[in-house]
Amino acid sequence: TGGINAEYGCDEEDSISDDYLSRCNTEFQKFGTSGHSLLFASGDSGVGCVDGTSFRPEWPTQSPYVTSVGGTYMLGTTETGVTFSGGGFSNYFSQPSYQKQAVSTFFATSKNLPASSFYNSTSRAYPDIAAFATNYQVVVAGRTQSVGGTSASTPTVSAIVALLNDVRLENGLSSLGFLNPFLYDTLATSPEAFYDVTTGTNSEGTCPGFTATKGWDPITGVGTPNYAVLKKLVLQ
């Protein structure tokens, strides 16, 4: 309830006209204020790579008015940021206030950053959150097979948001609507609401990637959701 997820997230930001970016952003804002949550896959190309010299952010996941969902997988017994998890920084949208502290902490604590010439560190950073993105079992033509991608992690997070909205509605509260301020505020005040993913990189082609670290990072966002904790927090 109150959530829309879109597995679409495969256009490069620089392939979209400025007018179209701005108009879509306005519509995304309207959608959020109407009490709906809009989630987009962060893409399956890691940082994106242009001739080994710069990163290429995805659209529309880098809009500051949608929730961008990255991906993780299990490496042994450790949840890890999956290499293809789209993440980085917009070259068009400025960094929204709700994520400034988390991004600032990332830059202050990260020990393995790509050269600053690859990206715009003062712009909208993504993803915002993550979930498992590999080994989903589906049946195609009568046969079970494994699939993956941030197009799998996105509906997973969306389903959790729907459950949280159900909890709120059952208690006479409104749906969560635009999620990002809540996610980043919760990271700052109740970090146990997310499973922190501190390993993994999202390099692509000849470009280096970002490295997951404690807190927010441009591979797994604030981490993966801890439903038991979030269920309590959404009622406060």
Side-chain angles (χ1 to χ4, degrees):
T1 16
I4 301 291
N5 80 83
E7 291 88 41
Y8 166 72
C10 58
D11 275 334
E12 288 80 18
E13 182 184 60
D14 58 12
S15 70
I16 309 296
S17 71
D18 289 358
D19 286 346
Y20 192 71
L21 286 170
S22 296
R23 177 56 190 269
C24 285
N25 213 40
T26 298
E27 299 306 316
F28 294 155
Q29 291 178 66
K30 291 178 183 178
F31 201 74
T33 58
S34 70
H36 294 83
S37 305
L38 191 57
L39 297 89
F40 276 95
S42 71
D44 295 345
S45 300
V47 291
C49 187
V50 181
D51 299 326
T53 60
S54 63
F55 298 158
R56 197 175 195 187
E58 299 268 1
W59 181 89
T61 194
Q62 41 62 291
S63 165
Y65 293 101
V66 307
T67 298
S68 177
V69 183
T72 66
Y73 75 116
M74 293 302 295
L75 183 61
T77 59
T78 303
E79 186 174 14
T80 300
V82 69
T83 304
F84 61 70
S85 182
F89 296 82
S90 170
N91 288 320
Y92 184 83
F93 295 114
S94 59
Q95 195 168 103
S97 59
Y98 60 71
Q99 67 174 184
K100 282 186 179 293
Q101 184 56 55
V103 176
S104 175
T105 299
F106 167 74
F107 280 115
T109 58
S110 181
K111 296 181 172 63
N112 190 24
L113 287 170
S116 59
S117 59
F118 279 90
Y119 58 94
N120 181 356
S121 63
T122 62
S123 63
R124 156 66 164 148
Y126 73 100
D128 301 300
I129 195 168
F132 283 124
T134 62
N135 296 324
Y136 285 79
Q137 302 301 294
V138 299
V139 178
V140 180
R143 294 185 177 183
T144 301
Q145 62 186 52
S146 292
V147 298
T150 53
S151 57
S153 59
T154 303
T156 300
V157 175
S158 183
I160 293 171
V161 172
L163 291 174
L164 296 174
N165 279 334
D166 283 347
V167 170
R168 286 178 59 85
L169 294 170
E170 288 170 0
N171 286 271
L173 300 172
S174 62
S175 57
L176 289 167
F178 178 47
L179 293 171
N180 293 5
F182 169 73
L183 296 179
Y184 287 91
D185 286 348
T186 300
L187 176 66
T189 59
S190 302
E192 69 276 11
F194 307 103
Y195 296 106
D196 197 8
V197 181
T198 59
T199 56
T201 62
N202 63 347
S203 57
E204 201 264 335
T206 56
C207 289
F210 295 102
T211 301
T213 189
K214 183 177 180 179
W216 179 88
D217 58 67
I219 308 170
T220 64
V222 298
T224 57
N226 183 336
Y227 176 74
V229 176
L230 288 168
K231 181 179 177 181
K232 297 175 182 178
L233 292 175
V234 297
L235 293 178
Q236 294 180 4

